Amino acid sequence: MKHPNFQLSPEITRALSMGAPIVALESTVITHGLPHPQNLELARDMEKQVRDNGATPATVALLDGKIRIGLSDLELIRLSESESTLKVSHRDFATAIVKKADGGTTVAGTMYAANMAGIKVFATGGIGGVHKESAFDISTDLRSLAEIPTIVVCAGAKAILDLPATLEYLETMGVPVIGYQTDEFPAFYSRESGLGVSARLDSPEEIAEFAKAHWNLGMRSGILVTNPIPETESISKSKMEPIIAKASAEAIEQGIHGQKLTPFLLSRISELTKGKSLKANLALLLNNARLAAEIAKEMNTKKKEWAI
Ligand code: PSU
Ligand code: MN
């Protein structure tokens, strides 16, 4: 891929040219989602998890205004330590480019960059959605899921969001919501939400078959694969509810909105659970990296059969 604003690492260029399985990874979780030094540990562990499961990790971020796909360890360290990085979703790419800034790409931003480079599978923790604090605060992640044909593996969405509204939006936009070995939409820390998915699939192979069927019909949306947090690390819905309500009330009281709202809620929840939520967060991220690598391998064997 040749584009003046993109720079692919040699490893990713090679993997793409060989048609080897690749998993894209986001970086807002590093720059705005987790505290230091857990963010660096997580970034490294995610890459290792992808490698251990037979795929090549492609962490996406902006460095000095370049859209980078595939980072070195030194670059991961730089991202994890900086306190002035931008949070980059669709409308922020050009800002980062003209200011030659560093930035962490959100789910939306990572989907865009990965798809431009020809990477179809992406692992994250939780997607953004419709916020409870303001009806107009709808994450660009949802619009991107509607428009960018990639598979996004996540643990559902946090109950900081209006989950029924988030699922309604995805339905309206024609985005399949797959439950991996579950009939229920997972709520990030919790395996349960009381809400359904559009289809349950039980193996990476079935997910690859699904993607092939969806895209070969001419559909152009992304596919959201929801992978529940491992049982041993999960926190029940009833335990999380009062904590989320408190963080949300504080956000309203302090007038926090826009791009700052999600990072504020994430860090307040981590404080209020005394780090317990952080442990859960790390566990589910690794679990998603593993499944994404498995799917990427399956997709790869089916690649020639897709229409896109
Ligand atoms: N949800 C999480 N953890 C995260 C995010 C969301 O549980 O780190 C990050 C992701 O990068 C996501 C972004 O794309 O926040 C959404 O931000 P917003 O709500 O401002 O669109
Ligand atoms: Mn928002």
Side-chain angles (χ1 to χ4, degrees), residues 84-276:
S84 59
T85 50
L86 301 174
K87 173 175 161 181
V88 181
S89 219
H90 280 53
R91 70 174 183 177
D92 314 297
F93 276 100
T95 308
I97 289 167
V98 299
K99 293 188 186 292
K100 300 193 175 8
D102 287 1
T105 48
T106 63
V107 168
T110 308
M111 286 179 80
Y112 159 76
N115 186 55
M116 284 285 284
I119 301 170
K120 305 308 293 173
V121 183
F122 163 31
T124 183
I127 57 160
V130 181
H131 274 283
K132 290 174 177 166
E133 292 78 5
S134 155
F136 283 107
D137 189 342
I138 300 171
S139 176
T140 309
D141 293 355
L142 297 189
R143 211 205 80 195
S144 301
L145 281 162
E147 294 175 0
I148 304 175
T150 49
I151 296 178
V152 179
V153 181
C154 69
K158 279 203 177 80
I160 57 172
L161 300 168
D162 182 336
L163 296 182
T166 300
L167 286 173
E168 291 293 351
Y169 185 103
L170 291 170
E171 182 183 353
T172 301
M173 301 311 277
V175 179
V177 178
I178 307 300
Y180 180 64
Q181 298 178 346
T182 181
D183 297 302
E184 200 167 339
F185 182 70
F188 202 84
Y189 302 120
S190 321
R191 292 172 65 87
E192 69 279 6
S193 68
L195 301 163
V197 290
S198 67
R200 173 192 174 132
L201 299 175
D202 291 328
S203 68
E205 189 182 4
E206 273 187 294
I207 295 171
E209 286 293 339
F210 184 100
K212 182 182 130 191
H214 185 70
W215 291 329
N216 280 351
L217 289 170
M219 304 297 171
R220 285 294 172 267
S221 76
I223 296 169
L224 189 65
V225 173
T226 64
N227 185 25
I229 182 171
E231 198 112 39
T232 47
E233 312 291 337
S234 68
I235 310 174
S236 72
K237 193 175 158 207
S238 58
K239 274 214 181 97
M240 287 311 298
E241 259 165 7
I243 290 167
I244 288 167
K246 185 166 161 47
S248 170
E250 287 177 10
I252 294 171
E253 204 178 285
Q254 296 177 34
I256 292 163
H257 59 91
Q259 273 195 320
K260 291 200 167 64
L261 180 59
T262 299
F264 173 84
L265 293 171
L266 299 183
S267 85
R268 274 307 279 144
I269 288 169
S270 177
E271 285 166 16
L272 292 168
T273 59
K274 301 195 176 61
K276 230 185 127 191

